Amino acid sequence: MKVLPFGALVLQLFWGSVHLAFCQSTELFVPRSMQMAYEDGTRTRDGNPGKNYWINRAAYHIRANFDPDLGKLSGTEKVTYYNQSPDALNQMVVRLYPDLLKKGGIRNVQFSPDIINDGVVIRRLTINQQEINISDAPGESRYYWRTNRLSRNGTNLIIPLDKLLRPGESLEMEIDWEVTFPRGFSERMGAFGPRTWFVAYWYPQIAVYDDIDGWDRLNYTPSQEMYNDFHDYEVEITIPGQTLVWATGELQNMDAVLLPRFVEKLQSATTSDDVIHIVTEEDLLDGKLTNDDSLLTWKYKATHVPDFAFGVSDSLQWDATSVEAEKGRRVNIHAVYDPKSPYYEECASIARMSISDMQENIPGLPYPYPQLTVFQADQGGGGMEFPMLCNDGRVHDRADLIDLTYHEIAHTWFPFYTGINERKYSWMDEGWANIFPNDLVYKEESQNGDPMYYNVMSYVRAAGTEDDLPLIMPSKWLSGWPYLENTYYKPSCAYHTLRDMLGDQVYKKCLKTYIERWAGKHPLPWDFFNTFNDVSGKNLNWFWKAWFFDYGVPDLGLKEVAVKGKQAHITIEKVGTMPIPVYLKIVFEDGTGQQLYTSAAVWANGQTETVLKLKTEQPVREVILGHEAFPDVNEENQHWINPNL
């Protein structure tokens, strides 16, 4: 035993060989596709990418004209796609995300009839300079337009190839298209002012072809977010003058579009730890923001990123600062926000603090990109992440701003730097992003209580109901509350319990190794489980099985409290199936107290009871089981009062 900082008592338990022997007999379900990946050598049973692992990539050159008054975008795209797989491809799958709003489209949310439109209008499409007929009319073309297995109204364009794209070969695709984003639509993007837009899911994008499923043919419905390969982008956005543009990547022609005084301040910010006000409220009132009133073309470049988004506005303030990522390299940080949004004047410094915290603590790796922009224009709450760019909403208080800003930046690691398939396993990134901010929120805003409390209460609300499904259930089959629970709250509780059990040092080592192994690749849940088993040196399958594969609930109860003289023996029963730590608060007759603790590892050998012993100089008046940072579905079996006092 050792004393906690506040005088509490901790019971240390050792994971012995008996525990390990039990764990080794606990097998996880492994789907056939994963077993084939082991056999093919693309993945290994210890959580490493296999010697035969591969991933495809593309290079995009996009020229887009955007009218912020009408929400109309017309674009020309040239994409070179590299087949680095061992397979000869007989088709291409192209995502047309804006077809979410197409008449008769497949979607799992209700939209106003006023915003339903024609989706993506393709004017021209060529593959290797050969024109492709993508007519909707039956019998006119063998190219399937906006189709999936069930309907001709999905968000994928599937194009059979006249000539196989063999391993090591590439092809060039050119697309001219138009799309209009209606006002009143704000699903992760949209209009947030007369000339303020956040534009995402906007360009024809080649889908992922991977070693597990082949082509990703899932439609954008839009519950599930993204699953992309890593590409290079050169994007030109032409927009009316006196309107600013922020985007994924780095601005290549700053001098050509921005007023000299803004350029000078931006250059100063690249070496500054302080926040510099680039565009102030006075500048917005003046209305002079760019070099010209006529159309201007903003040129952005980004390498090895999974997506590209941009925001435009003539009415948002702009702050900038920077932070050191590693020796000799700094990250430029921008905060763009509505002057009327409270707390956002601190956003740039909070973003800087968030990146520093992630670099120094968990996950403990340098921020991988050259810049970050937090774009705040959404009038609602919450936010949405894209590489180097976030679309955030209003916040209730400073703690909320820290949590939101940190959460969206945390997505840099998952799913951007590490290419999580959010469409199938959204808990693999949202669960981490939900708990990464906890330490900083608690440090900066400790009066608000434990930041895990909301996750715990949200999970407990549904735990054990018909809607409480195993985390391993693919996200593509979920919607409504089951999707939220399995994406955010339940995995947050699982990860937090894992950290508590492994301890910060081992937990950080496992997570850092997992990211390093799978950076620029596509890990699956089994890669995650196996990496933690491998790096920790412990077979954690008993934990993974209970939290990620099985139906069940977390529920510990006080079975018996035996007080004899100066000894108290407290028996805790594991009523539910999911392992959680034991936190006991002991209250003595005079009102003072101690705390007993043991991690969830106490349940590793399959036992359903454990006894904690306490020496005391005075009678025990009360015993309280549980902690607000860990879920437990039943409070009625967590309290004991000494009937003799």
Side-chain angles (χ1 to χ4, degrees):
M1 292 186 178
K2 67 178 181 181
V3 179
L4 287 176
F6 46 91
L9 208 56
V10 180
L11 180 63
Q12 297 284 354
L13 291 181
F14 173 71
W15 303 28
S17 58
V18 174
H19 291 178
L20 186 58
F22 173 82
C23 294
Q24 288 174 335
S25 67
T26 306
E27 296 294 333
L28 302 181
F29 166 74
V30 179
R32 288 185 295 169
S33 58
M34 194 69 184
Q35 294 178 33
M36 290 178 63
Y38 294 150
E39 294 172 5
D40 292 340
T42 57
R43 298 167 193 263
T44 66
R45 297 183 187 275
D46 64 3
N48 275 289
K51 63 179 181 179
N52 296 328
Y53 186 83
W54 53 268
I55 185 171
N56 288 349
R57 67 181 184 90
Y60 287 83
H61 294 77
I62 303 174
R63 298 194 305 274
N65 290 273
F66 183 64
D67 185 337
D69 294 313
L70 301 178
K72 184 175 181 179
L73 185 148
S74 59
T76 297
E77 169 181 305
K78 179 179 180 180
V79 53
T80 304
Y81 183 75
Y82 300 90
N83 180 18
Q84 300 178 156
S85 80
D87 305 326
L89 306 182
N90 62 2
Q91 62 182 213
M92 299 297 294
V93 178
V94 179
R95 295 171 179 155
L96 303 176
Y97 289 112
D99 274 1
L100 173 72
L101 296 176
K102 184 179 170 66
K103 296 172 184 176
I106 296 173
R107 43 188 170 265
N108 57 13
V109 296
Q110 293 286 337
F111 293 133
S112 167
D114 296 337
I115 67 174
I116 302 303
N117 58 28
D118 294 328
V120 179
V121 178
I122 292 185
R123 300 299 185 191
R124 183 180 69 95
L125 190 153
T126 68
I127 292 180
N128 292 333
Q129 289 80 51
Q130 179 184 350
E131 190 95 14
I132 301 297
N133 176 14
I134 52 174
S135 171
D136 272 323
E140 288 190 8
S141 172
R142 65 186 181 89
Y143 297 97
Y144 297 92
W145 173 237
R146 295 167 168 85
T147 185
N148 66 5
R149 294 175 182 176
L150 302 178
S151 168
R152 295 181 61 82
N153 295 310
T155 57
N156 293 321
L157 171 61
I158 301 175
I159 309 171
L161 297 175
D162 289 331
K163 179 183 176 182
L164 292 176
L165 182 62
R166 299 188 183 280
E169 295 181 344
S170 64
L171 62 72
E172 287 189 355
M173 180 183 299
E174 295 186 27
I175 305 176
D176 297 344
W177 84 100
E178 293 178 1
V179 62
T180 298
F181 298 107
R183 294 186 182 274
F185 172 74
S186 58
E187 192 67 41
R188 304 192 179 99
M189 57 159 291
F192 303 107
R195 302 188 98 197
T196 296
W197 291 80
F198 191 89
V199 181
Y201 293 94
W202 59 282
Y203 61 95
Q205 179 188 85
I206 297 179
V208 173
Y209 184 85
D210 66 22
D211 65 318
I212 298 297
D213 298 314
W215 284 110
D216 172 26
R217 299 170 181 265
L218 296 179
N219 286 293
Y220 181 55
T221 60
S223 293
Q224 291 74 39
E225 294 178 18
M226 65 180 68
Y227 178 43
N228 300 328
D229 286 327
F230 298 84
H231 311 303
D232 297 335
Y233 291 87
E234 292 185 21
V235 180
E236 298 181 6
I237 302 163
T238 300
I239 196 165
Q242 310 312 333
T243 305
L244 302 175
V245 179
W246 302 268
T248 297
E250 296 178 284
L251 181 59
Q252 302 296 298
N253 63 335
M254 188 181 299
D255 293 330
V257 294
L258 287 173
L259 293 177
R261 70 175 186 273
F262 297 154
V263 173
E264 183 179 352
K265 288 194 285 186
L266 282 169
Q267 290 172 341
S268 297
T270 62
T271 58
S272 175
D273 293 337
D274 299 323
V275 174
I276 296 176
H277 304 298
I278 309 301
V279 175
T280 65
E281 198 164 4
E282 290 75 19
D283 293 321
L284 295 175
L285 291 172
D286 179 59
K288 299 295 184 182
L289 303 177
T290 62
N291 278 336
D292 202 322
D293 290 335
S294 61
L295 294 175
L296 290 173
T297 297
W298 298 65
K299 299 180 180 181
Y300 276 89
K301 186 176 182 179
T303 59
H304 201 64
V305 294
D307 204 357
F308 189 100
F310 66 93
V312 306
S313 182
D314 62 357
S315 60
L316 299 181
Q317 289 184 208
W318 184 2
D319 294 341
T321 183
S322 62
V323 65
E324 186 176 68
E326 50 197 333
K327 189 174 181 180
R329 182 173 73 88
R330 295 181 71 87
V331 175
N332 298 320
I333 298 170
H334 307 277
V336 183
Y337 55 94
D338 184 339
K340 300 182 180 62
S341 290
Y343 307 104
Y344 266 90
E345 67 276 2
E346 289 191 71
C347 186
S349 61
I350 287 174
R352 185 181 190 280
M353 183 169 58
S354 299
I355 290 177
S356 293
D357 188 68
M358 278 184 277
Q359 292 184 151
E360 294 170 9
N361 298 311
I362 292 174
L365 291 164
Y367 182 85
Y369 300 133
Q371 74 95 22
L372 165 77
T373 300
V374 180
F375 182 95
Q376 188 277 319
D378 188 352
Q379 300 304 299
M384 180 60 198
E385 70 282 356
F386 294 90
M388 298 184 243
L389 186 64
C390 311
N391 179 27
D392 287 355
R394 291 184 181 271
V395 295
H396 302 295
D397 52 33
R398 185 174 183 274
D400 193 17
L401 179 61
I402 294 174
D403 188 59
L404 175 60
T405 303
Y406 200 128
H407 176 107
E408 302 306 341
I409 298 173
H411 278 299
T412 297
W413 307 110
F414 308 108
F416 303 143
Y417 189 60
T418 310
I420 301 300
N421 185 345
E422 288 186 273
R423 293 169 161 226
K424 288 176 67 175
Y425 303 109
S426 54
W427 53 266
M428 290 185 71
D429 75 305
E430 294 291 358
W432 291 115
N434 237 26
I435 65 168
F436 274 9
N438 284 357
D439 291 343
L440 188 60
V441 171
Y442 192 79
K443 177 182 176 182
E444 295 290 320
E445 304 286 340
S446 57
Q447 70 273 17
N448 288 345
D450 196 299
M452 272 300 298
Y453 178 75
Y454 178 77
N455 290 310
V456 168
M457 290 299 98
S458 298
Y459 167 48
V460 167
R461 168 183 166 187
T465 69
E466 292 175 320
D467 292 335
D468 183 18
L469 302 172
L471 285 171
I472 206 66
M473 175 75 72
S475 305
K476 64 183 179 180
W477 303 121
L478 305 177
S479 62
W481 186 258
Y483 176 79
L484 292 174
E485 182 193 6
N486 270 28
T487 297
Y488 297 93
Y489 312 127
K490 189 174 181 178
S492 297
C493 293
Y495 292 149
H496 189 62
T497 302
L498 179 66
R499 175 179 178 177
D500 178 80
M501 182 175 70
L502 293 178
D504 283 355
Q505 185 175 355
V506 174
Y507 172 85
K508 179 178 178 179
K509 182 181 179 182
C510 292
L511 182 59
K512 185 177 179 181
T513 303
Y514 168 56
I515 293 173
E516 290 173 335
R517 286 180 177 182
W518 289 95
K521 303 177 180 68
H522 296 312
L524 287 173
W526 294 266
D527 302 311
F528 159 60
F529 302 144
N530 293 336
T531 294
F532 268 68
N533 286 357
D534 180 44
V535 178
S536 70
K538 298 179 172 67
N539 189 321
L540 302 171
N541 284 357
W542 62 275
F543 182 86
W544 309 130
K545 188 174 186 299
W547 269 101
F548 292 85
F549 289 83
D550 293 346
Y551 286 89
V553 296
D555 181 12
L556 301 183
L558 288 171
K559 184 175 183 179
E560 183 181 27
V561 179
V563 180
K564 297 180 181 179
K566 295 183 179 181
Q567 291 278 347
H569 291 192
I570 305 167
T571 303
I572 295 92
E573 182 180 15
K574 183 169 173 279
V575 181
T577 59
M578 301 172 72
I580 52 176
V582 176
Y583 277 88
L584 282 176
K585 181 180 180 182
I586 313 298
V587 181
F588 300 113
E589 187 175 28
D590 65 356
T592 61
Q594 286 184 324
Q595 189 175 64
L596 297 179
Y597 158 83
T598 182
S599 79
V602 71
W603 313 115
N605 65 354
Q607 69 188 71
T608 58
E609 291 184 6
T610 188
V611 178
L612 276 65
K613 300 177 181 180
L614 171 70
K615 289 185 178 181
T616 175
E617 296 297 326
Q618 56 176 302
V620 175
R621 186 181 74 192
E622 193 174 0
V623 177
I624 303 168
L625 174 64
H627 190 287
E628 65 175 351
F630 298 93
D632 194 307
V633 298
N634 184 10
E635 295 182 353
E636 295 181 1
N637 59 2
Q638 295 182 317
H639 196 188
W640 176 86
I641 297 177
N642 192 334
N644 300 319
L645 292 181

